[in-house]
């Protein structure tokens, strides 16, 4: 029974979660396993050029070596796309991105061949996506070859053309014909303008750069935030086919931000807690269920890992459940979002919040760093920590002051923690009391750590009392989340009562005189069951204590009846009882010798018929002598013999339906061959008469 109680414990874990404290873990092997499943190879490729790049880029960030399987076919597609004069600008862009990862065999002439097409596309661009693909293509060519001169002579004009699509709130439009603004478009615009700055043959006007930085600050002013500190960019629905979710919009903004900060000179003053909040948002998703979402998550985290704005540091706990019974130690790990080692730092435990209380205990204790396992360890829990649910508040302190300009720690980090232990159950007893005087008429001790089988009896003028004490390993009184007493009648009717506590003692008294109506005046045997459980109680239990023979008065005429009990699915849909059918005794058969005599008498006419044919000298001269008519005549007689044989089998073993089916086929056969035979005989007879 104790194992079944795990369902109750699981439910309590869900109820006890606190939204203000959450645990964010860096990228793990679960993401690598998901990437191998989501980005599957079909016919030697990952799909389109865009899907192929997303798969290869995800594998590259996660360190998955799976490029060899598709390298040959993918590079062939890349070479064909770049060499084809009819390739779309979007396909050229993704082909160049793939080539940047796979390093396909492309010579400088291939890059020179697509340069005029891309530059013409820049001059003819009328939408943000046109600028994004063309400027991005030039950036990729610049990164992949040094033999081709890639620059923009009119960078200021292009910058202003793209900047004209910006909005006052930091978001952007996809085109001048579309009045709706988008956060996703803002990310694409930032990445595109970063490419313009990098490709400019002369320095961009400083006022344009300053204006763009101000737009970025406005964009971050409108960022959404969860209670646990996670931040994200919300995306309004612009168009059904162009709508992007919060994950993709936030990812593209992070990618564009890091690209612009890398390309532009100077610093960008953005709050570190918002950068850390974005990292928490991406990590809080866990492992996405689609390839596109996984790509956006991994690429955004890779950008934050190498960001020049702020590199987020993630504080995580290898274990959020500590057992005082096994003397577990509190361990804290600090890494970057991709799991890389953090710079030299210290971790302090600042406050401890007890569940259900706003008051905090000030600790201010530094954790000991274990260089071998790269974790910070709190060897012993504070004295005021008992078995229960807590929120621990940590603070990260960087050793090098210069690192404060590089890394974002986010101030204090709150994480939920469960301290569990084995709860002692003492002084358990069950008794039958007199209703008037309250004197004990029957009392028995209980061992709630083992088996019990008490047998009690009572009537409606008596009471049932159950009491016990719960103590934590530290000697404190423990109050579980659940303490129920259940009485189950032999008819299936159940009654559940909450066991209350008064001080150190848990006690419940059932006055049967006041419960006769609730018990529906049902006398008989009641099984007694006690349930005590909590998420932090390692020995939660559900025990059958025994039974109670209860004698209640007869029910009045208008008394409520017990509710109908649900039918168990097994009894409704399970196997039914075997049905035994008694057949009628077979009729008494005649003796064996008499049966043989009767059979001889039945066959006697047949032999008489044959003898008569010979005696009367039957005329067989009309039997056709030609090959075809003779064949049909023989088949006709064989068919008649088959019908007689079928009747014999029907008499011996066949049933009526099988016999009729076979007789139908034989009847059609006999009709055909009989008609041919009789037709031949009729024509022969007609010729003889005419002669």
């Amino acid at each position: 029974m104790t194992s079944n109680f795990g369902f109750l414990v699981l439910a309590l874990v869900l109820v006890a979660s606190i939204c203000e404290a959450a645990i964010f873990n860096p990228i793990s092997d679960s993401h690598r396993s998901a990437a191998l499943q989501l980005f599957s190879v079909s016919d030697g490729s990952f799909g389109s050029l865009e899907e192929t790049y997303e798969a290869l880029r995800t594998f590259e960030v996660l360190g998955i070596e799976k490029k060899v399987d598709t390298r040959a076919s993918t590079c062939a597609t890349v070479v064909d796309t770049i060499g084809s004069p009819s390739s779309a600008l979007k396909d050229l862009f993704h082909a160049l991105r793939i080539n940047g990862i796979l390093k396909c065999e492309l010579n400088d002439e291939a890059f020179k061949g697509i340069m005029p097409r891309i530059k013409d596309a820049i001059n003819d661009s009328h939408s943000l996506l046109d600028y994004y693909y063309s400027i991005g293509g030039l950036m990729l060519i610049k990164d992949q070859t040094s033999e081709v001169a890639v620059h923009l002579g009119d960078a200021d004009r292009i910058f202003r053309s793209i900047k004209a699509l910006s909005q006052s709130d930091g978001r952007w439009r996809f085109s001048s014909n579309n009045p709706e603004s988008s956060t996703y478009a803002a990310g694409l615009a930032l990445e595109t303008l970063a490419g313009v700055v990098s490709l400019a043959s002369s320095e961009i006007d400083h006022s344009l750069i300053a204006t763009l930085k101000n737009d970025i600050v406005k964009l971050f002013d409108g960022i959404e935030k969860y209670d646990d500190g996670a931040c994200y960019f919300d995306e309004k629905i612009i168009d059904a086919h162009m709508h992007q979710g919060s994950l993709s919009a936030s990812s593209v903004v992070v990618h564009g931000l890091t690209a612009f900060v890398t390309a532009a000179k100077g610093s960008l003053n953005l709050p570190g807690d918002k950068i850390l909040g974005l990292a928490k948002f991406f990590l809080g998703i866990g492992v996405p269920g689609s390839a596109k979402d996984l790509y956006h998550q991994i690429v955004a985290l890779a950008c934050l890992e190498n960001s020049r704005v702020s590199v987020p540091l993630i504080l995580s706990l290898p274990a959020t459940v500590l057992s005082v019974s096994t003397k577990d130690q509190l361990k804290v790990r600090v890494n970057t979002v991709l799991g890389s080692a953090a710079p030299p730092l210290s971790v302090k435990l600042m406050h401890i919040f007890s569940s259900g209380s706003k008051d905090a205990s000030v600790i201010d204790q530094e954790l000991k760093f274990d260089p071998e396992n790269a974790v910070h360890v709190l060897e012993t829990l504070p004295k005021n920590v008992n078995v229960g649910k807590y929120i621990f508040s940590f603070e990260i302190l960087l050793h090098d002051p210069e690192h404060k300009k590089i890394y974002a720690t986010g101030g204090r980090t709150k994480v939920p923690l469960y301290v569990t232990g084995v709860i002692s159950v003492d002084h358990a007893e069950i008794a039958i009391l007199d209703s008037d005087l309250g004197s004990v008429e029957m009392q028995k001790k209980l061992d709630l750590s083992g088996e019990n089988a008490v047998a009690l009896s009572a009537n409606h003028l008596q009471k049932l009392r159950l009491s016990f004490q719960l103590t934590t390993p530290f000697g404190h009184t423990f109050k579980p989340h659940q303490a129920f007493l259940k009485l189950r009648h032999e008819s299936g009717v159940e009654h559940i009562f909450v066991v209350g506590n008064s001080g150190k003692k848990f006690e419940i008294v059932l006055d049967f005189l006041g419960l006769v109506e609730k018990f529906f005046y049902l006398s008989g045997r009641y099984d007694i069951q006690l349930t005590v459980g909590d998420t932090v109680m390692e020995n939660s239990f559900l025990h059958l204590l025994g039974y109670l023979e209860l004698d209640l008065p007869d029910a009045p005429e208008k008394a409520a009846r017990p509710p109908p009990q649900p039918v168990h699915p097994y009894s409704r849909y399970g196997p039914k009882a075997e049905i035994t059918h008694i057949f009628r005794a077979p009729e008494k058969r005649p003796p064996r010798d008499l049966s043989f005599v009767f059979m001889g008498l039945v066959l006697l006419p047949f032999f008489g018929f044959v003898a008569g044919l010979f005696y009367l000298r039957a005329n067989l001269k009309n039997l056709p002598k030609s090959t075809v008519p003779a064949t049909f005549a023989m088949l006709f007689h064989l068919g008649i013999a088959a019908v007689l044989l079928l009747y014999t089998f029907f008499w011996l073993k066949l049933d009526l339906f099988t016999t009729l089916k076979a007789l139908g086929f034989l009847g059609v056969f006999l009709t055909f061959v009989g008609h041919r035979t009789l037709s031949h005989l009729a024509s022969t007879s007609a010729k003889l008469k005419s002669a």
Side-chain angles (χ1 to χ4, degrees):
M1 290 185 179
T2 306
S3 60
N4 297 334
F5 193 70
F7 295 104
L8 298 175
V9 175
L10 178 60
L12 292 177
V13 171
L14 298 176
V15 174
S17 60
I18 302 174
C19 61
E20 296 180 354
I23 297 178
F24 302 94
N25 294 306
I27 295 300
S28 62
D29 291 337
S30 299
H31 293 81
R32 297 177 179 87
S33 299
L36 293 173
Q37 294 179 1
L38 295 175
F39 294 103
S40 57
V41 178
S42 177
D43 297 331
S45 68
F46 292 102
S48 64
L49 289 172
E50 182 178 3
E51 293 171 339
T52 301
Y53 169 75
E54 292 173 355
L56 294 175
R57 178 56 179 158
T58 303
F59 289 163
E60 183 182 42
V61 175
L62 295 177
I64 300 175
E65 296 294 336
K66 199 180 178 181
K67 304 173 188 177
V68 182
D69 297 341
T70 59
R71 178 183 174 83
S73 60
T74 303
C75 282
T77 305
V78 169
V79 172
D80 292 343
T81 303
I82 294 179
S84 174
S86 60
S87 298
L89 187 62
K90 178 180 179 180
D91 293 336
L92 284 176
F93 172 71
H94 290 302
L96 290 170
R97 296 172 92 181
I98 295 173
N99 184 64
I101 298 176
L102 295 182
K103 310 297 180 187
C104 300
E105 297 178 359
L106 286 175
N107 52 32
D108 295 334
E109 296 300 325
F111 292 115
K112 291 179 181 179
I114 61 175
M115 279 285 294
R117 294 173 55 192
I118 296 179
K119 288 191 174 182
D120 291 342
I122 295 177
N123 295 327
D124 298 337
S125 296
H126 298 288
S127 68
L128 179 60
L129 289 176
D130 293 338
Y131 282 115
Y132 175 73
Y133 293 133
S134 55
I135 299 297
L138 292 181
M139 279 293 297
L140 292 168
I141 295 176
K142 179 182 178 181
D143 295 337
Q144 296 174 23
T145 179
S146 58
E147 301 298 327
V148 180
V150 182
H151 62 273
L152 294 176
D154 54 350
D156 271 4
R157 180 189 64 81
I158 298 174
F159 196 103
R160 295 179 189 276
S161 299
I162 300 174
K163 183 66 178 65
L165 299 176
S166 64
Q167 300 293 293
S168 59
D169 58 356
R171 295 187 296 169
W172 295 64
R173 294 175 295 162
F174 280 100
S175 66
S176 57
N177 297 327
N178 188 357
E180 297 292 338
S181 56
S182 165
T183 306
Y184 186 87
L188 298 180
L190 292 177
E191 186 177 353
T192 305
L193 293 176
V196 174
V197 174
S198 300
L199 297 173
S201 56
S202 59
E203 193 172 0
I204 300 291
D205 189 354
H206 291 289
S207 61
L208 295 176
I209 302 295
T211 304
L212 183 58
K213 289 183 178 180
N214 187 46
D215 291 342
I216 295 175
V217 174
K218 291 181 180 178
L219 181 64
F220 271 79
D221 288 341
I223 198 170
E224 303 289 339
K225 188 174 183 180
Y226 288 117
D227 293 335
D228 58 9
C231 300
Y232 66 98
F233 289 98
D234 195 11
E235 178 70 314
K236 294 182 178 180
I237 296 180
I238 307 169
D239 199 350
H241 70 281
M242 297 183 65
H243 175 62
Q244 302 290 334
S246 300
L247 175 58
S248 57
S250 302
S251 176
V252 171
V253 169
V254 169
H255 194 276
L257 172 66
T258 53
F260 177 75
V261 173
T262 303
K265 297 180 180 179
S267 59
L268 186 61
N269 187 19
L270 290 177
D273 59 337
K274 293 185 178 180
I275 301 298
L276 181 61
L278 285 170
K280 290 181 177 180
F281 171 72
F282 294 121
L283 294 176
I285 294 173
V287 179
S290 67
K292 180 73 73 173
D293 290 344
L294 181 62
Y295 163 75
H296 283 302
Q297 180 195 42
I298 298 301
V299 168
L301 293 174
C303 293
L304 294 174
E305 179 90 356
N306 303 300
S307 174
R308 290 185 58 185
V309 181
S310 292
V311 178
L313 294 179
I314 303 300
L315 184 145
S316 60
L317 272 64
T320 59
V321 178
L322 302 180
S323 174
V324 297
S325 302
T326 56
K327 299 181 180 179
D328 294 340
Q329 292 181 331
L330 175 62
K331 298 179 180 180
V332 176
R333 183 176 284 115
V334 181
N335 301 96
T336 61
V337 290
L338 294 183
S340 302
L345 53 83
S346 300
V347 177
K348 276 190 173 184
L349 175 60
M350 304 303 296
H351 295 91
I352 297 178
F353 297 86
S354 179
S355 176
S357 175
K358 296 183 179 180
D359 298 331
S361 301
V362 180
I363 305 300
D364 196 9
Q365 180 179 352
E366 183 174 339
L367 278 64
K368 183 180 179 181
F369 181 65
D370 180 7
E372 183 177 354
N373 299 313
V375 294
H376 301 262
V377 182
L378 182 65
E379 296 180 345
T380 58
L381 292 173
K383 295 181 179 180
N384 58 337
V385 174
N386 195 8
V387 174
K389 298 176 285 291
Y390 297 92
I391 296 177
F392 280 41
S393 176
F394 297 96
E395 185 175 356
I396 299 175
L397 302 175
L398 296 169
H399 292 173
D400 190 348
E402 293 297 324
H403 287 166
K404 295 181 180 180
K405 303 177 182 178
I406 303 175
Y407 297 96
T409 60
R412 296 182 180 178
T413 304
K414 295 181 179 180
V415 295
L417 193 69
Y418 294 85
V419 181
T420 66
V422 176
I423 304 301
S424 300
V425 186
D426 304 313
H427 306 295
E429 60 182 21
I430 188 169
I432 300 297
L433 309 179
D434 180 81
S435 180
D436 297 328
L437 303 177
S439 59
V440 177
E441 297 187 359
M442 182 185 301
Q443 180 172 318
K444 293 188 178 182
K445 300 290 184 181
L446 299 174
D447 181 14
L448 296 182
S449 61
E451 298 293 332
N452 296 275
V454 299
L456 304 174
S457 61
N459 56 39
H460 67 287
L461 299 177
Q462 293 176 317
K463 299 179 181 179
L464 172 69
R465 183 183 68 188
L466 173 68
S467 61
F468 55 89
Q469 292 183 2
L470 300 177
T471 309
T472 67
F474 300 102
H476 301 287
T477 301
F478 180 72
K479 296 181 180 180
H481 188 271
Q482 291 182 337
F484 299 130
L485 176 66
K486 181 166 70 173
L487 298 182
R488 179 184 176 88
H489 190 256
E490 53 191 353
S491 63
V493 180
E494 296 181 349
H495 305 281
I496 300 177
F497 305 92
V498 178
V499 182
N501 70 301
S502 56
K504 298 182 179 181
K505 192 176 183 180
F506 284 82
E507 185 179 66
I508 183 172
V509 178
L510 300 181
D511 187 354
F512 296 124
L513 183 59
L515 295 173
V516 288
E517 292 185 0
K518 184 175 182 179
F519 279 38
F520 305 106
Y521 295 91
L522 291 177
S523 300
R525 174 169 172 163
Y526 286 82
D527 292 330
I528 307 173
Q529 190 180 83
L530 178 63
T531 301
V532 177
D534 197 283
T535 54
V536 296
M537 184 177 176
E538 296 179 5
N539 56 331
S540 300
F541 60 86
L542 187 154
H543 285 327
L544 182 64
L545 304 182
Y547 67 90
L548 169 68
E549 287 289 347
L550 187 58
D551 183 17
L552 298 179
D554 295 334
E557 294 183 0
K558 297 183 179 180
R561 298 298 179 184
Q565 298 304 303
V567 180
H568 196 280
Y570 184 82
S571 62
R572 177 181 295 179
Y573 304 107
K576 303 299 182 182
E578 183 179 357
I579 300 176
T580 303
H581 185 75
I582 301 176
F583 292 91
R584 186 180 63 179
E587 298 289 343
K588 187 177 181 180
R589 297 185 178 184
R592 183 177 180 182
D593 296 336
L594 180 61
S595 298
F596 281 123
V597 172
F598 179 77
M599 184 178 67
L601 293 175
V602 170
L603 295 176
L604 185 61
F606 175 74
F607 292 111
F609 171 74
V610 174
L613 290 177
F614 284 101
Y615 178 77
L616 296 175
R617 296 179 181 180
N619 184 12
L620 300 177
K621 294 180 180 180
N622 288 333
L623 188 71
K625 296 179 176 57
S626 302
T627 304
V628 174
T631 302
F632 280 108
M634 292 299 296
L635 292 176
F636 177 71
H637 287 85
L638 289 175
I640 294 176
V643 171
L644 296 175
L645 184 63
L646 179 63
Y647 288 161
T648 303
F649 279 109
F650 170 65
W651 184 63
L652 292 176
K653 59 182 296 184
L654 294 181
D655 58 80
L656 179 62
F657 297 101
T658 305
T659 304
L660 290 176
K661 185 187 299 183
L663 186 61
F665 289 109
L666 288 175
V668 174
F669 174 75
L670 282 172
T671 301
F672 175 72
V673 297
H675 179 268
R676 296 296 299 268
T677 302
L678 294 176
S679 297
H680 174 74
L681 294 175
S683 64
T684 303
S685 177
K687 290 178 181 180
L688 290 174
K689 289 180 180 180
S690 62

